[in-house]
Amino acid sequence: MKTTSAVLALVALSTYNHADAFAPVAFAPRTVVNANANANANKHSVVVTHMVDDKMEVREYFNTEGFSRWNKIYSESDDVNSVQLDIRKGHGITIDKILKWVEADGDIAGKTVCDCGCGVGSLAIPLAQMGAVLSASDISDSMAVEAGRRAAEMGIDNAKFYTSDLESVTGKYNTVTCVDVAIHYPTEKMAEMVGHLCSLAEDRVMISFAPKTWYYSALKKFGEFFPGPSKTTRAYLHEEEVVRNALKKAGFQVSREEMTGTNFYFSRLLEAKRI
């Protein structure tokens, strides 16, 4: 019954255009290959085109239609459907797990935190309320501006929000977080992305991603037979071993982990500390 429900949920999901959540939705990669170049050049062209297309699509989507949709999901608005409500629940569970870790540590006040892909501030704002000094960025200007608006409305003055893609973020911070962002990164760029996050962190990183398992991969593949009418961003599942190895290579060791799964949201959360 559980498997049947998941499959039915996937079919329903394919009609809603929710590429951005940690749900196993299917998107066919579009790449441009120079037929006159050699095999190596072709391979390089594919990787570069993937990244350019992905960034452009994510930026454009979250500055327009996507912003309107996800601003409602990441709020208390009643103007959401059952799928969006389920995703809100799953995302909220992941955020709560991080906050409970931080609260249990009891030492976040005065510490610097870099939140990459902050969205509308779902994590950055409560961390700032706990006393952390926040630097939060998002590839979408609409998202970053909305996060700043929400923070200002709450009287928060220890957090700054700005527009930037993840690769362009610089600086050194006690903690670096990246939640619900990796799903936009192609598999071949995942390790590099994790490495960059680690280069920003002095003490620890917290990252979540959609795990690539046989079960989720099967659901994702099944979803390809039921394409939605207006998919706008690709969704990528990632092998957990790749993420763990990238953390280890950067000099970090996983200290805590969690898994969150609802009907439409699947997320592996890892906290890794520098060793």
Side-chain angles (χ1 to χ4, degrees):
M1 180 63 71
K2 182 177 180 180
T3 301
T4 302
S5 298
V7 171
L8 291 176
L10 178 67
V11 175
L13 178 63
S14 66
T15 68
Y16 281 105
N17 186 20
H18 287 304
D20 328 286
F22 277 173
V25 227
F27 296 86
R30 294 177 304 209
T31 57
V32 177
V33 178
N34 182 356
N36 296 321
N38 59 37
N40 289 333
N42 281 346
K43 183 177 180 181
H44 178 70
S45 175
V46 168
V47 174
V48 171
T49 305
H50 260 287
M51 282 304 297
V52 172
D53 283 356
D54 285 325
K55 279 188 180 182
M56 289 179 60
E57 289 178 356
V58 171
R59 181 182 292 111
E60 291 174 5
Y61 174 65
F62 281 103
N63 274 326
T64 54
E65 176 188 1
F67 169 71
S68 177
R69 176 177 292 117
W70 288 94
N71 190 31
K72 291 178 182 178
I73 293 176
Y74 295 153
S75 70
E76 297 181 357
S77 171
D78 293 327
D79 187 20
V80 291
N81 57 48
S82 59
V83 176
Q84 294 168 332
L85 190 60
D86 184 83
I87 292 171
R88 176 191 291 174
K89 175 184 176 182
H91 178 75
I93 291 173
T94 295
I95 295 299
D96 286 344
K97 288 176 177 177
I98 294 175
L99 295 178
K100 286 179 181 178
W101 284 352
V102 172
E103 185 177 10
D105 293 339
D107 62 352
I108 197 65
K111 296 289 183 67
T112 55
V113 177
C114 176
D115 187 20
C116 297
C118 66
V120 295
S122 300
L123 176 61
I125 289 175
L127 285 177
Q129 290 175 318
M130 296 171 74
V133 180
L134 260 295
S135 177
S137 63
D138 199 278
I139 194 172
S140 163
D141 185 61
S142 295
M143 287 288 188
V145 169
E146 172 62 15
R149 185 197 68 78
R150 293 188 183 190
E153 194 174 72
M154 297 179 185
I156 294 172
D157 60 5
N158 53 322
K160 69 173 183 177
F161 298 88
Y162 64 99
T163 306
S164 175
D165 60 34
L166 190 151
E167 292 85 356
S168 300
V169 175
T170 60
K172 289 292 183 180
Y173 309 87
N174 296 121
T175 296
V176 174
T177 60
C178 187
V179 180
D180 290 12
V181 175
I183 198 163
H184 301 300
Y185 274 76
T187 303
E188 64 271 11
K189 299 295 292 184
M190 185 61 177
E192 182 179 334
M193 186 268 273
V194 173
H196 179 64
L197 292 174
C198 290
S199 73
L200 303 173
E202 294 182 340
D203 302 324
R204 66 179 172 182
V205 296
M206 295 181 182
I207 182 172
S208 64
F209 57 96
K212 186 176 183 179
T213 65
W214 69 267
Y215 180 66
Y216 294 154
S217 295
L219 290 181
K220 184 175 184 293
K221 185 66 176 177
F222 186 79
E224 293 176 1
F225 295 102
F226 302 90
S230 59
K231 298 288 200 248
T232 53
T233 62
R234 305 178 186 92
Y236 297 97
L237 307 182
H238 298 290
E239 294 182 2
E240 190 166 334
E241 183 179 5
V242 171
V243 180
R244 288 179 180 271
N245 286 342
L247 290 169
K248 184 177 180 180
K249 182 179 180 180
F252 285 74
Q253 182 176 346
V254 174
S255 52
R256 289 183 284 204
E257 57 187 274
E258 285 282 357
M259 179 69 198
T260 301
T262 65
N263 288 332
F264 303 98
Y265 179 98
F266 306 95
S267 173
R268 167 67 76 188
L269 173 65
L270 300 178
E271 176 197 62
K273 295 184 178 182
R274 186 176 289 280
I275 55 177

